[in-house]
Amino acid sequence: MTRTLIVNARLVNEGRQFDADLRIGEDGRIAEIGAQLAAAPGETVVDAAGRWLLPGMIDDQVHFREPGLTHKGDVATESAAAVAGGLTSFMDMPNTNPPTLNAAALQAKYDMAAGRAWGNYGFYLGASNDNLADIQQLDPKTAPGIKVFMGASTGNMLVDNPETLDAIFRDAPTPIITHCEDTPTIDATMKAYVEKYGDNLTASMHPDIRSREACLKSSQLAVSLARKHGTRLHVLHISTADELALFTPGPIEGKRITAETCIHFLRFDRADYERLGNLIKCNPSIKDASDREALIRALAEDVIDVLATDHAPHTWEEKQKPYAQAPSGLPLVQYALVAALELVHEGRLPIEKIVHKFAHAPALLFNVAERGFLREGYWADLVLVDDTPFTVKREDVLSKCGWSPFEGTTFRSKIGSTWVNGQQVWDGTKLVGTPQGQRLRFDR
């Protein structure tokens, strides 16, 4: 390990901006934060020249596709794209092949990531109709949470047995995170659309097929179960203004029920289907401009607690299929943070709020040990931001799928450097060094 001193930085941390220097120790942790720190012999000095220095993003929702779906992406490729985007820790979903439904499958994913992940990693245990015993026996230190698909999913991961669902909310030893869409509502709407349009379905119909009604009905059920049992519930990827009434404003530390939204719901809306089609087909669906505006306000007012990606890559060829056959999901990790920073440039959200939603809040929600903040003694997961405009080009995409819904978009900030556990892994133009990701620890 090398020692690094970052000087003349504009640190953004815990609700404030301030000018300071930051020293990374040989152990990969933040050794010192202060004014005019003197460089030690042999120490690498980085002049931030007044640029923002942020804690690395913690993404609580990614699909890195390993095991079983590695033609779309894998832990190595997608974590490389992530650190290029300033995302230094990720929590990966269980709907892989095979699904992560027991302790052995969970450990296999940790073993698979060791030495290959560019960022720090945690893996969720999935819920099904028949793995209640595995959920009850889960060591809460081994997973960020238990993922419950209360909507369509792959394999047997749709939990639609009411007794099982109730027991999961009653007995979960970790936070429950939910995908909330009501499958019967979606199926009925899809049937009606097929009867009316036949094979002429288009992506522009997606927000009506995967409707706001389906989202609200399922989210209401999740919240009611959590209130019944006192469950620590986190509802993922809120996409509608309608659902916001289920959640309360205020600091995340005081909440048992929290909400997340995703970057694509803040940067796209219904009008973009005409231009991008299946490329922005995702579940839940991107909906109206009024929903996008409501979600931004909910972040500002602390009704929504966490901002994430739901990074879910599919190949270009898969996305070119007709609407009904094209899979849902977008590759997002590489450009999520700079897309969020556009809200700062637009005067919609302060940089302190972005840092809280992307780093502090997920660390607090999931009890992530010693990450998510710029604090002495914490791991040096850091992002230096350049206010240098750039345009997203396909040849620069690092995800295995090789495309981005942001192609052609010009962002006003770029990621200048990323450090993971004290080692630089991105220098603004390319990956450097070797994968430095560690298994996340959950302080429970």
Side-chain angles (χ1 to χ4, degrees), residues 148-153 158-159 178-186 206-207 209-222 235-237 239-240 243 265 282-287 310 328:
V148 180
F149 287 91
M150 298 176 68
S153 185
L158 170 60
V159 183
T178 54
H179 178 135
C180 287
E181 290 183 287
D182 183 66
T183 299
T185 300
I186 294 167
H206 193 58
I209 294 170
R210 310 286 300 211
S211 65
R212 67 182 61 250
E213 293 79 14
C215 293
L216 181 59
K217 184 175 182 179
S218 185
S219 294
Q220 286 172 329
L221 175 59
V235 182
L236 299 176
H237 42 46
S239 62
T240 75
E243 294 165 277
F265 298 131
C282 56
N283 302 333
S285 61
I286 293 166
K287 297 181 175 69
D310 196 13
S328 293

Side-chain angles (χ1 to χ4, degrees), residues 330-411:
L330 291 67
L332 290 159
V333 288
Q334 189 169 346
Y335 302 110
L337 180 51
V338 292
L341 291 175
E342 286 299 298
L343 294 167
V344 179
H345 292 298
E346 293 163 3
R348 306 298 304 280
L349 291 173
I351 180 66
E352 297 91 340
K353 186 71 71 175
I354 297 295
V355 167
H356 182 78
K357 302 300 182 184
F358 258 160
H360 303 339
L364 293 167
L365 195 166
F366 294 100
N367 311 105
V368 177
E370 301 174 326
R371 300 188 191 277
F373 296 86
L374 302 181
R375 293 175 177 171
E376 292 178 359
Y378 273 49
W379 289 102
D381 298 334
L382 310 171
V383 182
L384 192 61
V385 177
D386 292 346
D387 279 334
T388 305
F390 78 102
T391 301
V392 177
K393 300 176 182 177
R394 181 166 298 191
E395 57 265 31
D396 296 328
V397 173
L398 296 181
S399 289
K400 185 181 281 190
C401 68
W403 63 274
S404 168
F406 289 118
E407 286 173 38
T409 300
T410 298
F411 292 116

Side-chain angles (χ1 to χ4, degrees), residues 18-269:
F18 57 99
D19 296 322
D21 304 336
L22 184 148
R23 172 170 282 119
I24 302 170
E26 293 177 357
D27 59 358
R29 295 175 181 266
I30 298 171
E32 191 176 5
I33 297 173
Q36 297 180 321
L37 300 181
E43 197 167 44
T44 299
V45 178
V46 176
D47 188 352
R51 292 173 287 173
W52 281 327
L53 184 66
L54 318 179
M57 175 183 167
I58 300 174
D59 194 346
D60 74 354
Q61 187 184 185
V62 304
H63 300 262
F64 280 1
R65 303 304 191 193
E66 192 171 357
L69 301 166
T70 52
H71 69 287
K72 302 174 189 281
D74 59 51
V75 163
T77 60
E78 305 316 289
S79 66
V83 298
L87 190 161
T88 58
S89 297
F90 61 88
M91 301 177 193
D92 184 69
M93 289 297 158
N95 55 329
T96 48
N97 186 17
T100 317
L101 294 175
N102 54 50
L106 187 63
Q107 185 59 50
K109 288 185 78 169
Y110 281 112
D111 294 342
M112 166 269 297
R116 297 175 58 229
W118 287 85
N120 308 303
Y121 47 90
F123 296 101
Y124 291 101
L125 183 73
S128 71
N129 283 324
D130 53 12
N131 78 330
L132 180 59
D134 294 286
I135 290 170
Q136 293 166 329
Q137 296 163 14
L138 176 68
D139 179 349
K141 293 183 181 294
T142 61
I146 295 163
K147 175 66 179 290
V148 180
F149 287 91
M150 298 176 68
S153 185
T154 53
N156 67 333
M157 291 193 67
L158 170 60
V159 183
D160 55 5
N161 182 303
E163 291 78 19
T164 302
L165 198 57
D166 190 79
I168 291 170
F169 274 76
R170 182 192 68 212
D171 296 341
T174 69
I176 285 179
I177 62 168
T178 54
H179 178 135
C180 287
E181 290 183 287
D182 183 66
T183 299
T185 300
I186 294 167
D187 289 346
T189 308
M190 185 65 168
K191 181 180 179 182
Y193 269 69
V194 170
E195 288 174 354
K196 184 174 182 179
Y197 297 102
D199 293 333
N200 296 317
L201 299 177
T202 66
S204 62
M205 301 173 185
H206 193 58
D208 301 309
I209 294 170
R210 310 286 300 211
S211 65
R212 67 182 61 250
E213 293 79 14
C215 293
L216 181 59
K217 184 175 182 179
S218 185
S219 294
Q220 286 172 329
L221 175 59
V223 169
S224 68
L225 286 169
R227 287 176 176 160
K228 173 183 176 182
H229 294 294
T231 313
R232 181 65 183 87
L233 171 67
H234 185 53
V235 182
L236 299 176
H237 42 46
I238 296 295
S239 62
T240 75
D242 310 61
E243 294 165 277
L244 296 175
L246 297 171
F247 307 99
T248 56
I252 193 170
E253 292 92 334
K255 297 182 183 182
R256 295 291 292 169
I257 298 172
T258 51
E260 172 217 276
T261 194
C262 298
I263 191 62
H264 45 293
F265 298 131
L266 309 182
R267 303 312 296 174
F268 300 111
D269 61 46

Side-chain angles (χ1 to χ4, degrees), residues 286-308:
I286 293 166
K287 297 181 175 69
D288 295 328
S290 58
D291 295 299
R292 185 191 67 223
E293 295 305 307
L295 295 171
I296 294 171
R297 287 195 301 273
L299 284 166
E301 296 167 1
D302 293 329
V303 173
I304 291 180
D305 305 282
V306 172
L307 183 57

Side-chain angles (χ1 to χ4, degrees), residues 1 27-28 120 371 379-381 419-423 436-438:
M1 296 287 289
D27 59 358
N120 308 303
R371 300 188 191 277
W379 289 102
D381 298 334
W419 289 264
V420 174
N421 299 312
Q423 293 294 296
Q436 294 294 320
Q438 297 181 9

